[in-house]
Amino acid sequence: MSFGKLYTYDKNARSVAIRAVAKANNLDLEIVNIKPREPETLPEHYLKLSPLRRVPAFEGADGYILSECIAIAIYITSQNEKTSLLGKTKQDYASILRWMSFANSEVLPNVGGWFAPLLSQAPYNKKNVDDHSKAALAAVDVLEQHLLVNTFLVGERITLADLFSAGILSRGFQFLFGKEFRAEHPNLTRWYETIYNQPIYSAVVDKLQFIEEPIKYQPPKKEAGPKKEKEAAPKANPKPKAKDIDEEEEEEDKPAPKPKHPLEALPKPTLILDDWKRKYSNEETREVALPWFWENFKADEYSIWKMDYKYNDELTMVFMTSNLIGTSHPSSLTLVHLLGFSSFHRLLKLQNLLGGFFTRLEASRKYIFGCGSVYGKANDSVVQGAFVIRGQDAELAFDVAPDYESYSFTKLDPSKKEDREFVDDQWTWDRPTTVEGKTYEWQDGKVFK
């Protein structure tokens, strides 16, 4: 039996969660595709459903009419009296409404105002696009910070807030949020991928595909008009030619060149770091690679640094900690099944505190080599590492990662035997480490090369 009709259009961001929940609740919801920008194509009674011709709109089989996407989503979700998507407490419910409202009013209008002109769906005005871009990124940063210490938007389980907000952000990931954006927003990206791959969500959307680069505005080509015959006239100060104006505007539209890495200004070294990385990857570490490194290392070209995580007392399970510095482990969905949501939540808190540190060093990859490792056991572990960097200033190499301040970096003296031995041990992973007089066995590690 039909539950009702949802008036919307294909890939409408505000309708994704509604369709997902309706399917999960086994509601026979008929999708009526409409074109709100073409009033003449709308059903005659549509103004009664949505006086402002907005989508989506709902018309129940019992005659109940409802407009506004958040209200429709809650109504459809509430048809399952045992649902956990609306939270467990009144505070949960209020928080769910908060994030849905935030996504609908702060994120979507600005994301739309950003990409629509780039797709020629709206008049292009560079200032307006830039303003919407800044506002969208400011809103997205709010989500990024919230998801730094939260697995989901509300509580420790997926809720309607997650489904609705993921739908709202889908156009951003479709058109705007390229590889660079995702590296700068690891928490949001992790959350979006997790929600997208939940069966309740993936059942109503296409397969997830990330873009490499955001779309760019392509000015339409101007048709050449008929040439006018020259008429004799007094010479006057020439006005700017249309062609000149176009070129100036196009010049303004070109993205500014990326600033050069500060370490690029250093003179070319005799030791090419890529040569060392290949040697490390292809030869026995202690027997061949390390002797080669110390033989070719020049202290005036490179410096050696010890890395210590500042907050070891916050670490819990060892394999969780290793995830934080980038070691590959089972997927998020697999871990949910293995650990349960509570333990998975703790894992992701740690993963977000340090997670992606190596990933966020990408901009300095040409100038750094090193290893980070986890030592110890559950609830008693430490993170240490050793790096060689181009030049003598660690901050220039590491501050490309926003979370580098969570680590302390101590410069080592390669002329000292104990410092060289520390580096050897960190790069071979075959010996324990000692911190404050206590010995910790090596458990897991990651190479940055």
Side-chain angles (χ1 to χ4, degrees), residues 175-231:
F175 298 121
L176 304 169
F177 302 160
K179 184 177 180 180
E180 184 175 344
F181 171 93
R182 297 194 300 275
E184 294 172 351
H185 297 81
N187 308 316
L188 181 74
T189 304
R190 180 269 307 163
W191 165 84
Y192 181 75
E193 191 170 9
T194 299
I195 303 305
Y196 203 104
N197 287 310
Q198 295 291 321
I200 188 175
Y201 190 92
S202 61
V204 298
V205 294
D206 297 332
K207 184 179 179 180
L208 176 60
Q209 290 183 325
F210 286 131
I211 60 174
E212 288 296 308
E213 298 290 336
I215 57 171
K216 293 179 174 62
Y217 176 64
Q218 299 292 335
K221 294 183 179 179
K222 295 193 174 184
E223 296 181 4
K227 294 183 179 180
K228 293 183 179 180
E229 294 183 4
K230 294 182 180 179
E231 297 181 2

Side-chain angles (χ1 to χ4, degrees), residues 2-56:
S2 175
F3 180 73
K5 298 178 180 179
L6 182 70
Y7 294 82
T8 182
Y9 56 85
D10 187 39
K11 292 183 172 60
N12 173 248
R14 290 185 167 107
S15 302
V16 176
I18 299 171
R19 293 169 54 228
V21 174
K23 187 176 183 66
N25 285 347
N26 294 316
L27 298 176
D28 184 7
L29 185 64
E30 180 184 351
I31 305 299
V32 181
N33 286 296
I34 62 171
K35 298 178 180 179
R37 295 181 182 179
E38 301 177 14
E40 68 278 3
T41 68
L42 298 176
E44 293 183 3
H45 69 303
Y46 194 72
L47 282 178
K48 294 181 180 179
L49 304 179
S50 180
L52 297 179
R53 297 191 180 94
R54 300 283 192 259
V55 292

Side-chain angles (χ1 to χ4, degrees), residues 309-348:
Y309 181 53
K310 293 180 180 178
Y311 310 108
N312 287 316
D313 57 336
E314 296 180 1
L315 303 179
T316 55
M317 296 179 69
V318 169
F319 86 94
M320 294 182 183
T321 308
S322 63
N323 252 312
L324 309 185
I325 56 175
T327 303
S328 299
H329 277 287
S331 67
S332 297
L333 292 177
T334 302
L335 289 174
V336 169
H337 293 297
L338 290 174
L339 302 174
F341 276 101
S342 179
S343 294
F344 180 66
H345 177 64
R346 292 196 301 273
L347 181 153
L348 286 174

Side-chain angles (χ1 to χ4, degrees), residues 95-107:
S95 296
I96 290 168
L97 289 178
R98 170 220 176 171
W99 286 113
M100 293 175 71
S101 177
F102 180 83
N104 191 49
S105 60
E106 300 296 336
V107 178

